[in-house]
Amino acid sequence: MPDPSRSGILVVDDSPIIRDTLVELLVEAGYDVQVAADGLEALAKMEVALPALVISDLRMPRMSGEEFLHIVRKRFPHIPTIAIGAGFLGDEMPADVEADAWLEKESMGIRKLHRTIDDLIRNPPPRPVPLASDPGPARVRRDELGRHVIDCPHCLRFFTIPDPHPAKPHLQTLPCVHCKMTVAFSMGGPTSDHAE
């Protein structure tokens, strides 16, 4: 039986069949499970409550699993992650995937899934737990075309904003065009001339 204090699992997959199957298997094993259809929906859920572990498909619309897992590793490095996928070569994790374990959908099996989850929850990777803090206003910079650009602190993607009114340097807010989370920014701070 999983430890109830660390039993929350977030399953991220655009296939309703895969999501429903994983939920059924995990709930039967005593885990508390949340689901998301893609990386953006998963990030929104993680803004509300952090899971003990994330299971994510790699091929999804709007935000790929590779990108989502990269963001989780950067923003929530203490949360263990399992990447799942189909059509890859065997049991070896695909290149450039930032996950703690890899399971091929066709060959993972119930025992292997439970063993992998249990191992990661009982022995999470030794990465630091970030301090809970407000990220503060987003940084406004200029891209190579001279447009004002904001890096979203939630999904780590950037988006352009209209040219600001120079007489209004106060704190402003806009929804991120990608994840729809509210991003605070100030035009009074420094900007760079080029995208990084």
Side-chain angles (χ1 to χ4, degrees):
M1 181 67 108
D3 177 355
S5 67
R6 292 189 51 78
S7 62
I9 296 179
L10 176 60
V11 173
V12 190
D13 199 305
D14 60 319
S15 166
I17 294 171
I18 298 293
R19 284 197 313 268
D20 292 348
T21 301
L22 286 172
V23 167
E24 185 177 334
L25 292 172
L26 295 172
V27 168
E28 279 180 11
Y31 292 103
D32 183 24
V33 184
Q34 284 199 355
V35 296
D38 57 50
L40 290 176
E41 184 182 346
L43 287 175
K45 291 195 176 216
M46 292 177 80
E47 291 286 340
V48 176
L50 291 178
L53 181 136
V54 170
I55 300 174
S56 178
D57 186 23
L58 294 184
R59 294 178 178 155
M60 297 181 290
R62 298 205 304 161
M63 177 184 280
S64 72
E66 288 96 332
E67 187 176 4
F68 168 65
L69 290 169
H70 170 75
I71 292 168
V72 171
R73 178 64 55 87
K74 188 163 184 175
R75 289 190 60 205
F76 313 107
H78 61 294
I79 297 178
T81 55
I82 299 173
I84 60 173
F88 295 93
L89 298 175
D91 291 331
E92 195 167 319
M93 190 175 322
D96 301 324
V97 173
E98 293 181 78
D100 298 303
W102 160 254
L103 296 173
E104 179 79 25
K105 287 181 181 179
E106 288 89 355
S107 62
M108 72 170 128
I110 296 171
R111 286 186 182 151
K112 189 172 185 180
L113 173 66
H114 287 312
R115 187 171 56 246
T116 304
I117 292 169
D118 188 56
D119 287 347
L120 286 172
I121 287 179
R122 290 182 189 279
N123 303 298
R127 292 189 291 263
V129 176
L131 296 174
S133 65
D134 182 350
R139 189 170 61 93
V140 178
R141 59 185 172 86
R142 288 186 183 270
D143 67 7
E144 62 277 358
L145 300 176
R147 300 172 299 187
H148 286 90
V149 174
I150 293 178
D151 295 299
C152 176
H154 305 285
C155 71
L156 306 184
R157 292 172 162 183
F158 69 89
F159 61 98
T160 58
I161 61 170
D163 286 340
H165 191 283
K168 295 186 177 179
H170 64 282
L171 193 66
Q172 303 171 54
T173 60
L174 277 176
C176 171
V177 300
H178 304 291
C179 69
K180 310 304 182 208
M181 298 297 292
T182 300
V183 177
F185 65 97
S186 174
M187 295 309 303
T191 60
S192 62
D193 292 331
H194 301 286
E196 294 177 351

